[in-house]
Amino acid sequence: MLSEDDVRRIARLARIELAAAEVHGLRAELNGILGLIDQMRAVDTSGVEPMSHPQPLSQRLREDRVAETDQRERFQAVAPQVEDGLYLVPRVIE
Amino acid sequence: MHTRSIARLGSMLRARELSAVELATHYLDRIERLNGRLNAFITVDRDKTLAHAREADARIGRGEAGPLTGVPIAHKDLFCARGWLTTCGSRMLGNFVAPYDAHVIEQFDRAGAVILGKTNMDEFAMGSSNENSYFGPVLNPWDERAVPGGSSGGSAAAVAALLAPGATGTDTGGSIRQPASFTGTSGLRATYGRVSRHGMVAFASSLDQAGVIARSAEDLALLFAAMAGFDARDSTCVDHPKDDYVAGLGRGVKGLRIGLPREYFTADLARDVAAPIMAAIDEYRRLGASVVEVSLPNQHLSVPVYYVLAPAEASSNLSRYDGVRYGYRAPEFSDLNDMYAKTRAQGFGAEVKRRIMIGAYVLSHGYYDAYYLQAQRLRRLIADDFARAFRECDVIMGPAAPSVAFDIGARTQDPVQMYLDDLYTIPINLSGLPGMSIPCGFGDKGRPVGLQVVGNHFDEARMLAVAHAFQQATDFHTKTAPGFV
């Protein structure tokens, strides 16, 4: 069972701000989902190879060559804030 | 005009009995008149659609038309279409005008199909009722008190209400088959790897796959033939030979072996759903198919396994929404971390946040083995069940959902109950298999019931033929919601 502190810690990991009033309800919801998930923990799966991908294929490799054209202006047109081809974010280093 | 099949509309266009502009105008007028009752579309842009239709007419004029040239198709609002708002049902992408086309959009463009608009959906495809859209819920054309299912609920409702002859969708845990079942439409989710996901907004990358919703298997075959194909830009796309989905439709079901999983026909299945499903199986027997019982003993673990894997992958995929390169950015913040946290708090809705947080938790230090690795091991057992079953049968049939469409608001207080309803669709996604739902009758309150048809990997041509045989013998797929004739 997650505590309210756990919920706040997970929200920090997920970079989602939580208002104090949200924590109580969210804790109950997440514990409900984890209760569902916990049904699978009791099953013995020793010796079963984890299945990470639904097709038993190895990843294709391609030649290490430039394949994309420069579309910076088009792609940056949808950015919240850009200047001289750079994405602007709040100052990180004073 | 809107009651005609895609095959018929295509031939009328090629015979110049109808222009693409006239056809697009007809559908745009219907959407303008009727969409307010359903909220099936997020974006409709008459000028863009008519410009696209004029290009199709020019192509027909040059004698270069194919089966879909000039046919208007609606697209789930997670396929990037250049110059079109592509919101994914989220405030996070509420201002995102796609700067490029998804491969699926390119494929329809090559076929000459016209973009009719972008359909509503559960936010980031997370939901089974379309109540999780930032742009409001979609209503079911058969009963406006009911949900249309989700997450491709806008696409399903648009097709059911004859606001579009066909629409694209995606299916990560049932998001094409369940809404098709709830709206009396035909839906096909492709084999994992069959359709390129380039330009399709990602939710859970080991499960996501595209597909189509239309009013018959024949129409699905026409759409799927255009949509499927290899694309190196999606590293999970498989370079597998494409069958002739349309030419193969008439092969019938004589000698077909239908597997019925004994685990699907239990007390969890509502009686009003079970009866039309069993009647459909009887119809297949009459048409020459045989029925064998198969067993999928690990299916009951599918929903718990899915709610580890899908949130884990979502938490990773959705980390890209940081307010830096595209989409929403919170207007006020103190520093970079605060900008991320506020942007994501304001940009995502409640269900998306729950799933990101579950995903962050199951992947976090100390829990990875108990949750994520355990889920991946069980996933193999679930997939192995299908591999064994397909040694004894050609297709597996059962319900797509345990009930008919439920009322709006009936499941919103309890997310877990909503999750559990996906028990018949999720195992197919975990196994990378193709699945369909086709209408087979009506249950309580006159709401539609869908028959799920599951095939082996890359066996879509057979599945479409199986669905077509049923539709040649029955008329459930021709029924239209009374308010939208």
Side-chain angles (χ1 to χ4, degrees):
Chain A
M1 290 285 270
L2 300 177
S3 66
E4 294 199 357
D5 276 345
D6 292 331
V7 172
R8 281 187 281 266
R9 182 181 62 88
I10 298 165
R12 256 196 317 279
L13 285 175
R15 298 286 187 273
I16 294 173
E17 183 181 75
L18 285 188
E22 289 177 280
V23 177
H24 181 74
L26 195 55
R27 178 185 171 219
E29 289 167 4
L30 296 183
N31 278 325
I33 299 169
L34 290 173
L36 168 75
I37 290 171
D38 278 341
Q39 290 171 26
M40 63 156 213
R41 295 183 65 183
V43 184
D44 180 8
T45 55
S46 46
V48 180
E49 183 70 15
M51 181 175 168
S52 56
H53 199 266
Q55 299 280 5
L57 298 168
S58 52
Q59 290 282 293
R60 278 189 309 276
L61 297 176
R62 65 168 177 84
E63 260 183 87
D64 186 12
R65 223 177 33 203
V66 175
E68 292 287 329
T69 53
D70 181 3
Q71 305 181 64
R72 187 170 70 181
E73 271 176 42
R74 186 140 65 90
F75 290 166
Q76 290 198 331
V78 293
Q81 211 185 350
V82 289
E83 197 178 290
D84 300 332
L86 302 171
Y87 294 99
L88 295 193
V89 295
R91 182 180 295 277
V92 183
I93 303 162
E94 292 299 329
Chain B
M1 200 185 288
H2 48 274
T3 58
R4 298 222 159 90
S5 71
I6 290 176
R8 179 85 185 104
L9 290 174
S11 61
M12 287 173 73
L13 285 158
R14 287 192 302 281
R16 315 271 193 102
E17 292 163 31
L18 177 69
S19 76
V21 167
E22 283 165 351
L23 184 60
T25 303
H26 178 79
Y27 275 104
L28 288 166
D29 289 349
R30 270 185 75 76
I31 293 167
E32 194 171 292
R33 193 153 51 82
L34 298 166
N35 184 51
R37 279 165 55 190
L38 299 175
N39 198 26
F41 284 84
I42 291 175
T43 302
V44 179
D45 187 324
R46 187 175 281 266
D47 292 344
K48 268 204 195 61
T49 295
L50 290 179
H52 208 179
R54 278 190 292 274
E55 288 173 31
D57 278 329
R59 186 165 158 175
I60 294 165
R62 293 194 301 270
E64 295 165 7
L68 293 182
T69 307
V71 176
I73 303 296
H75 294 288
K76 186 175 182 177
D77 206 19
L78 49 54
F79 288 103
C80 287
R82 190 172 174 175
W84 287 79
L85 201 58
T86 300
T87 70
C88 223
S90 182
R91 183 183 195 192
M92 188 62 89
L93 290 175
N95 61 358
F96 179 69
V97 176
Y100 69 103
D101 281 333
H103 184 250
V104 162
I105 299 289
E106 289 175 353
Q107 291 286 88
F108 279 110
D109 202 43
R110 273 193 271 276
V114 172
I115 299 179
L116 183 55
K118 304 294 292 292
T119 57
N120 204 344
M121 57 183 284
D122 281 303
E123 183 177 5
F124 285 100
M126 297 179 192
S128 311
S129 68
N130 226 300
E131 294 167 291
N132 295 335
S133 170
Y134 177 67
F135 301 92
V138 178
L139 278 55
N140 191 320
W142 288 91
D143 185 339
E144 290 161 44
R145 290 164 304 178
V147 302
S151 67
S152 309
S155 289
V159 171
L162 310 183
L163 302 186
T168 54
T170 58
D171 189 320
T172 304
S175 283
I176 287 174
R177 290 159 288 153
Q178 184 254 22
S181 177
F182 280 10
T183 59
T185 52
S186 300
L188 167 67
R189 168 204 137 98
T191 305
Y192 187 87
R194 174 78 284 180
V195 176
S196 168
R197 307 183 300 183
H198 174 75
M200 182 179 118
V201 180
F203 159 17
S205 296
S206 82
L207 299 156
D208 293 343
Q209 187 42 217
V212 272
I213 297 174
R215 288 197 357 270
S216 69
E218 185 188 17
D219 284 356
L220 287 179
L222 283 162
L223 297 171
F224 194 60
M227 180 184 209
F230 178 69
D231 171 28
R233 293 170 301 184
D234 173 1
S235 66
T236 66
C237 196
V238 181
D239 194 0
H240 190 274
K242 220 164 116 178
D243 292 310
D244 189 335
Y245 303 107
V246 180
L249 279 173
R251 61 166 112 160
V253 295
K254 281 210 173 49
L256 180 81
R257 297 171 303 163
I258 299 172
L260 296 188
R262 71 171 73 104
E263 293 81 4
Y264 281 17
F265 296 90
T266 65
D268 288 339
L269 183 62
R271 288 168 67 104
D272 65 312
V273 172
I277 301 275
M278 294 322 291
I281 306 290
D282 284 341
E283 182 64 44
Y284 274 109
R285 278 201 189 91
R286 272 194 292 281
L287 294 171
S290 62
V291 173
V292 291
E293 189 181 79
V294 295
S295 180
L296 305 170
N298 294 292
Q299 298 311 295
H300 64 287
L301 296 165
S302 296
V303 178
V305 165
Y306 179 87
Y307 278 96
V308 173
L309 298 180
E313 295 179 14
S315 78
S316 165
N317 270 329
L318 274 64
S319 65
R320 73 190 67 184
Y321 301 104
D322 56 5
V324 175
R325 287 155 301 162
Y326 40 75
Y328 180 78
R329 177 186 280 195
E332 287 172 26
F333 42 81
S334 56
D335 57 25
L336 184 62
N337 269 318
D338 193 47
M339 185 192 86
Y340 293 150
K342 284 197 164 65
T343 292
R344 290 163 65 82
Q346 296 162 21
F348 291 136
E351 179 62 21
V352 173
K353 287 183 202 172
R354 279 195 287 270
R355 296 209 197 179
I356 289 174
M357 289 180 67
I358 288 290
Y361 176 67
V362 299
L363 290 175
S364 64
H365 183 69
Y367 297 94
Y368 182 84
D369 286 7
Y371 286 113
Y372 193 69
L373 270 188
Q374 172 74 350
Q376 287 193 324
R377 291 195 169 103
L378 290 168
R379 181 177 190 175
R380 182 168 304 280
L381 297 181
I382 291 162
D384 286 349
D385 284 352
F386 279 101
R388 250 189 317 275
F390 277 122
R391 285 187 216 130
E392 295 159 44
C393 63
D394 305 310
V395 293
I396 291 172
M397 290 191 185
S403 70
V404 295
F406 46 85
D407 285 345
I408 288 171
R411 299 274 197 282
T412 42
Q413 294 312 306
D414 184 1
V416 171
Q417 187 53 49
M418 184 102 84
Y419 298 172
L420 287 169
D421 278 357
D422 291 337
L423 77 167
Y424 301 115
T425 48
I426 280 176
I428 282 80
N429 302 73
L430 292 172
S431 309
L433 294 165
M436 295 181 72
S437 175
I438 53 171
C440 69
F442 296 88
D444 282 355
K445 300 176 188 166
R447 295 177 186 177
V449 174
L451 171 73
Q452 184 170 211
V453 180
V454 180
N456 215 334
H457 296 114
F458 297 104
D459 212 9
E460 288 91 347
R462 188 206 301 263
M463 295 159 63
L464 287 162
V466 166
H468 184 67
F470 183 75
Q471 294 182 337
Q472 293 299 104
T474 60
D475 65 354
F476 300 112
H477 66 293
T478 65
K479 306 278 190 223
T480 303
F484 295 90
V485 180

